[in-house]
Amino acid sequence: MGLLLKVFIPLLGAALAFYFYSASENFNEEMLRGKRVIVTGASSGIGEQMAYHLARMEAHLLLTARTEAKLQKVVERCLELGAASAHYISGSMDSPTLPQELLREAENTWGGLDMLILNHIGQTGFAYFSGDVGHVRKLMEINFVSYVALATAALPMLKESEGSIVVVSSIAGRIAGPFTAPYSATKFALEGFFSSLRQELIIDKVNVSITLCILGYINTESAVRAVSHIIRDTPAPKEECALEIIRGGALRRREVRYPPRAVSSILLIRSLAPEFLDSIIRSSYHVENVRRP
C-alpha cells in the first residue's frame, strides 16, 4: 500500500496538473500592452523577472523595493526592453505611508491602475522556531499586513479599471512544513484574507480578479542561499515562474501553481494522505544542516 501511494498518487497529481495548467488559455502578450502595473519586491528575484517580462510586453511599470540602487538598474533595463514607461519608489513595506505613496504616484502619473502584483517578502531564516515573537510580528507586518494595506489602497482604482490583484504566495501557505513557522504563518494569512476578499467582490459583483500564486522552490538568489544546503530538490527557474504569474494575472485565473506538476502533486497527496506527506517532507531535508536557536 505504501509503495502504491508513493507511485500512483504523484502520477495522478502530475496528470491532473498537466490537464489544468498546461493549456495556453489564449494568453497573448498584447493583453498587457499599455496596462498600468505596480510590482512590489521588484529589485531582484521573481519580481525583477516579472518587471522585465512586463517591459517586453510594453506595459507601464511602477516598481518598489527596499534598495534604491537596484531599483534604478531594473528601471533602466525595463526601458531598454520596451516598457511604455517605468518608475520606482524605494521603501520598506512596513512603512504605513508607502501604500498611499505608491497609489498617489499611480494616480498622478497614469490616472489609474490595471494590475497590482504583490510579491515582496521580509527577511527570515530557515531554522527551528526560536520563540522570537517579535520576529513573527515584524514578518507578519511585511508579508501580510502590507499586502492588505496595498490592496485596500488600490481597490478604488482597480474597481474603476476592472483590474486585477496578483498575490505571490507559497506552498508554505497551504502545507506547513518544518523550519518555516513564521514565514508559513504569513502565507496562510494571505490565503485566508484574499480568498475571503474574492468572495466578497463576487457577491458585490465587483469585477476585480484575485489570483493567488502557489509557488514551490524557485531559484532566486535568496531562496537558494537560505535552503540549498537543506532541501534536496532542484529549484525551478525564476524567469519561467515570473511569466506564469503574469499569465495567470492577465487571464484572471483564480490560482497559479508553479512548478505546476510538483505543486499539484503535493497538494493532492496532502488531501488524500496528510500524515504520509508530512513524513515525506521530514525525510526530504538534511536536518543536520538546520540551524537551532
Side-chain angles (χ1 to χ4, degrees):
M1 183 64 178
L3 180 61
L4 179 64
L5 286 171
K6 287 182 179 179
V7 175
F8 176 70
I9 293 179
L11 288 175
L12 178 60
L16 290 171
F18 180 80
Y19 178 78
F20 285 110
Y21 292 97
S22 63
S24 64
E25 298 181 69
N26 299 317
F27 173 73
N28 189 315
E29 292 189 356
E30 291 189 2
M31 296 169 70
L32 279 302
R33 180 176 295 166
K35 296 297 184 182
R36 303 158 296 181
V37 186
I38 291 176
V39 183
T40 71
S43 64
S44 62
I46 296 168
E48 179 184 2
Q49 296 305 316
M50 285 193 285
Y52 296 153
H53 284 304
L54 288 163
R56 293 185 187 97
M57 298 173 194
E58 301 180 22
H60 294 277
L61 298 173
L62 176 56
L63 311 179
T64 185
R66 287 184 294 266
T67 310
E68 183 172 8
K70 289 183 179 180
L71 278 174
Q72 287 177 334
K73 291 180 180 178
V74 175
V75 164
E76 289 171 4
R77 181 60 178 152
C78 286
L79 292 171
E80 291 172 359
L81 291 170
S85 67
H87 308 274
Y88 74 86
I89 293 178
S90 60
S92 176
M93 282 300 169
D94 59 357
S95 166
T97 62
L98 187 58
Q100 292 299 334
E101 188 178 354
L102 284 167
L103 274 299
R104 187 164 53 248
E105 178 69 16
E107 177 69 33
N108 293 339
T109 303
W110 302 326
L113 181 68
D114 298 297
M115 182 179 287
L116 173 66
I117 302 179
L118 299 167
N119 167 71
H120 58 279
I121 57 171
Q123 299 295 324
T124 188
F126 196 86
Y128 287 88
F129 178 53
S130 67
D132 186 351
V133 177
H135 172 64
V136 176
R137 186 175 290 113
K138 176 77 169 180
L139 201 63
M140 190 67 75
E141 186 71 34
I142 296 173
N143 287 13
F144 172 64
V145 175
S146 68
Y147 277 55
V148 174
L150 272 165
T152 301
L155 264 177
M157 282 193 284
L158 291 173
K159 288 178 180 179
E160 185 176 340
S161 66
E162 298 189 336
S164 304
I165 298 171
V166 179
V167 180
V168 178
S169 189
S170 166
I171 190 72
R174 293 279 177 88
I175 297 170
F179 316 126
T180 62
Y183 174 80
S184 188
T186 66
K187 296 302 185 179
F188 268 84
L190 288 177
E191 177 86 18
F193 179 85
F194 284 99
S195 295
S196 178
L197 180 61
R198 182 195 291 118
Q199 295 274 41
E200 294 178 17
L201 294 175
I202 293 170
I203 289 170
D204 284 343
K205 296 181 173 58
V206 174
N207 192 19
V208 174
S209 65
I210 295 179
T211 300
L212 280 164
C213 304
I214 314 303
L215 307 185
Y217 181 23
I218 312 299
N219 69 344
T220 63
E221 182 180 342
S222 59
V224 170
R225 182 173 60 248
V227 304
S228 60
H229 59 298
I230 298 168
I231 293 180
R232 305 176 196 272
D233 293 342
T234 301
K238 59 181 178 290
E239 298 85 359
E240 184 176 297
C241 177
L243 184 57
E244 285 301 307
I245 292 169
I246 292 168
R247 181 181 287 118
L251 294 171
R252 305 173 76 85
R253 279 167 45 181
R254 175 188 181 92
E255 188 169 287
V256 169
R257 297 178 181 180
Y258 188 84
R261 297 176 188 178
V263 171
S264 295
S265 297
I266 291 169
L267 293 177
L268 180 63
I269 298 172
R270 190 270 314 260
S271 299
L272 298 177
E275 292 186 0
F276 173 66
L277 177 62
D278 285 351
S279 69
I280 290 176
I281 291 172
R282 289 193 298 271
S283 65
S284 68
Y285 292 154
H286 294 288
V287 177
E288 67 276 8
N289 295 332
V290 179
R291 180 169 47 86
R292 288 182 177 273

